Amino acid sequence: MTSIARWLMLGACCWLVWSSAALAAPNAVRQVEAMSQGAQAGLRIRLREPLSAKPPSFSTTTPPRIVIDLPDTINLTGQTRRLLNRGEIRHVDIVQAAGRTRLVLNLKRPMGFDTEVRDSELLLTLFEPAAGESSAGRSAEVASERVSVVDIDFRRGDGGTGRIVIDLSSPQAAVDVRRQGQSVVVDLMKARLPDVLRRRLDVSDFGTPVQAIIAGTNGDVARLSIESRGQWDYIAWQADRRLVVEVRPPKAEERGNGRGYRGEKLSLNFQNIDVRALLQVIADFTGLNVVASDSVSGSLTLRLKDVPWDQALDIVMQARGLDMRRHGNVLWIAPRDELLTKERLELEQRAQISELEPLVTETFQLNYQKAEAFQKVFGLDGQPGRSSILSRRGSASAEPRTNKLFVTDTPAKLEEVRRLIQITDVPQRQVLIEARIVEADDSFNRNLGVKLGYLDRNNPPGINLPGNARLAIGGNYQGVNDQIGPAGPVVGQVQNTQFVNLPADRIGTNTAATIGFSLFNASANRFLNLELSALQADGKGKIISSPRVVTADQQPAIIEQGEEIPYQQATSSGATSIQFKKANLKLEVTPQITPDGNILLTVDVAKDSRGIAVGTSYAIDTKHVKTNVQVENGGTVVLGGIFTQDERSNVVKVPVLGDIPGLGALFRSTGQLRVQKELLIFITPRIMTDMAGSRPAPPP
């Protein structure tokens, strides 16, 4: 059999396999074409069979793309890339794999989109996203209104890849996947994330570039932050209700070069080949259109084996001092100096055109921020030494009554101002901050005292001493008149003489309990009086103060309640003036909402109260804490606390007599005191539901 016959048989077999696969598949993409939909372009996808429901779709902002998955569908267009260049559409990639066909719509900038099924046609409509709306556009409001995250899982794939699997409750989810530094951020628009899934997963032990997965919320957006380490790349796709993000390390040929060569491998072995002919060989291998400048010349000897074609092209350009610019599937190759000179001339021409371009005045309505603040931040007020986004001829003015901004500049600069307003003129989120100041005290006091008295109505009490001397025994007594010293006999009344007077101390308004005994001889008129006093007091108290305040994100707020105490202050002239000092409860706080849904707080809490009197004024009892802390949404944290304990034991006694065992208790007074005080300060921030952010912004 000749070689021609063998090729014909092989082609027939391939055709039979392809046709049988096409007949086995339930549906197929027959044609993809652009269509005009008002001022914006759209896309019409013609299928072999009608669709029963809208296929799953999502969009990304960096790069701006819209992805549509058609399950159980093959590609019959005969193309893997369709160049359109219509409106904001660059081209459409049509990829068939695993029994489904994915259409990737590459855009010039992020756009909103909506899909509609008409029998065997799928229509995709693009529209301008509203101010503050994400790239998922209107489809996020419709498709993801009731979407929730069911589960988040991590798996290790072949070659050390880390695969994050996100199960959703509905395939109609608006997804935004982008890279931020060393992390991949996945935003699910208007999706609910259960509390059990709001956590941090440490997956560093799996040996993949992925180190941790942080799941949280940012308003009505469920956000996953995939933290990675080293060199890595990622890819994301969605199949029905499952969204997969795969982070993989670079291949061996991609390491050591920041460009990351990914072209198909080829081998080159030439001796003194002309550079223009070598570029033609690479163009034939890649299918790209190559335009070489007239100044590209010379020859080159090289031997390359199994090298990506983009790396081979880079080696050729570096060897001959060339550079390239790519526009779609066209490569323009010229000497590096020539390209730089041309680009510099283009920039100079643009600058000259901007100087001659007519100015246009446009009015911008700001809805959530002050026009004067926007004018000042972006340098539109024309202050010297401040950078401005306007051109040299541009100017801007603000009208406070209607909160409008009037800008005069070239159309390109006006478009920049419009984009900045769309990004910055968004409603601020509100935070409710509640503080609790708990003061508790526990006190215990016990006192024991005694009064001892003796009276002899016939003779003054005392002891005869040699030399006609007499030692009187007595103290003071209470009657109609107080008397200090030995008591003498008084006719008609019984004197209450006390020569030991050590009663129990009083605490506040508490009065010690007393019990008295009298031992007397009626015939001799002699009396012995004993009075015992005892006092025990227990006290427990609790004071709870709970100030709360609502403020916007990154805006300070203060709330206080109390009194101002007047006092006199001398002036330099010698006169006095009345001044006031505050004794109040104050909460001063500035919140900042982090991207992962936590709240950073700058807190200043104080509780001052009136203290003891000092002259004509009062002292101030102060309780104060000032700190910075990070708290999760709805969580409670203890900012600080103070615990004090005071224990005392007092003994008041008559010297010598108070130390006599047993009998000494009649000549002393004892007291015990224990006071415990504790202060705790709690704070709880909560992000309030942003009702204003869920409503569309009014038209400008």
Side-chain angles (χ1 to χ4, degrees), residues 290-307:
V290 177
V291 179
S293 174
D294 294 338
S295 54
V296 176
S297 61
S299 60
L300 193 66
T301 299
L302 76 163
R303 184 181 184 275
L304 301 175
K305 185 177 180 179
D306 293 337
V307 176

Side-chain angles (χ1 to χ4, degrees), residues 519-652:
L519 180 63
F520 60 92
N521 187 333
S523 60
N525 290 328
R526 294 184 179 91
F527 295 86
L528 179 63
N529 299 323
L530 177 64
E531 179 179 330
L532 301 177
S533 58
L535 173 65
Q536 180 172 324
D538 288 313
K540 294 183 179 181
K542 182 186 295 183
I543 301 176
I544 300 178
S545 305
S546 180
R548 62 183 66 184
V549 66
V550 178
T551 182
D553 183 23
Q554 301 186 31
Q555 296 296 322
I558 184 172
I559 184 172
E560 59 182 347
Q561 177 191 17
E563 61 177 338
E564 291 190 355
I565 302 174
Y567 65 95
Q568 290 186 351
Q569 184 178 16
T571 62
S572 58
S573 62
T576 59
S577 62
I578 301 297
Q579 301 292 332
F580 294 88
K581 53 183 176 182
K582 291 185 177 182
N584 55 10
L585 171 65
K586 182 183 73 171
L587 170 62
E588 184 174 357
V589 62
T590 302
Q592 178 182 349
I593 303 176
T594 61
D596 56 357
N598 294 333
I599 305 172
L600 290 173
L601 296 175
T602 301
V603 190
D604 189 351
V605 183
K607 186 178 186 302
D608 301 336
S609 58
R610 185 193 295 254
I612 61 175
V614 180
T616 58
S617 184
Y618 293 90
I620 303 298
D621 294 337
T622 301
K623 304 174 184 67
H624 183 207
V625 62
K626 183 176 182 180
T627 184
N628 294 329
V629 66
Q630 177 175 337
V631 192
E632 63 180 2
N633 181 26
T636 301
V637 65
V638 181
L639 296 183
I642 299 175
F643 177 79
T644 60
Q645 182 174 355
D646 185 10
E647 294 186 359
R648 297 181 183 179
S649 178
N650 299 325
V651 177
V652 181

Side-chain angles (χ1 to χ4, degrees), residues 32-54:
V32 177
E33 60 182 0
M35 66 175 185
S36 298
Q37 193 76 13
Q40 297 294 340
L43 195 68
R44 178 183 283 109
I45 305 168
R46 300 183 186 273
L47 303 169
R48 187 172 62 187
E49 302 292 338
L51 293 175
S52 58
K54 288 184 178 181

Side-chain angles (χ1 to χ4, degrees), residues 149-162:
V149 180
V150 178
D151 191 18
I152 301 173
D153 192 13
F154 177 82
R155 302 170 186 173
R156 188 183 189 276
D158 297 336
T161 61

Side-chain angles (χ1 to χ4, degrees), residues 366 369-381 386 398 403 405:
L366 280 80
Q369 64 172 323
K370 296 295 183 182
E372 298 93 334
F374 182 89
Q375 184 183 14
K376 182 178 180 181
V377 170
F378 292 98
L380 306 184
D381 51 358
R386 182 179 298 170
N403 201 34
L405 191 65

Side-chain angles (χ1 to χ4, degrees), residues 8 58 101 165 246 250 283 405 413 500-501 569 578 599 612-613:
L8 289 175
F58 64 93
T101 298
V165 181
E246 187 175 271
L405 191 65
K413 289 296 182 181
V500 176
N501 186 10
Q569 184 178 16
I578 301 297
I599 305 172
I612 61 175

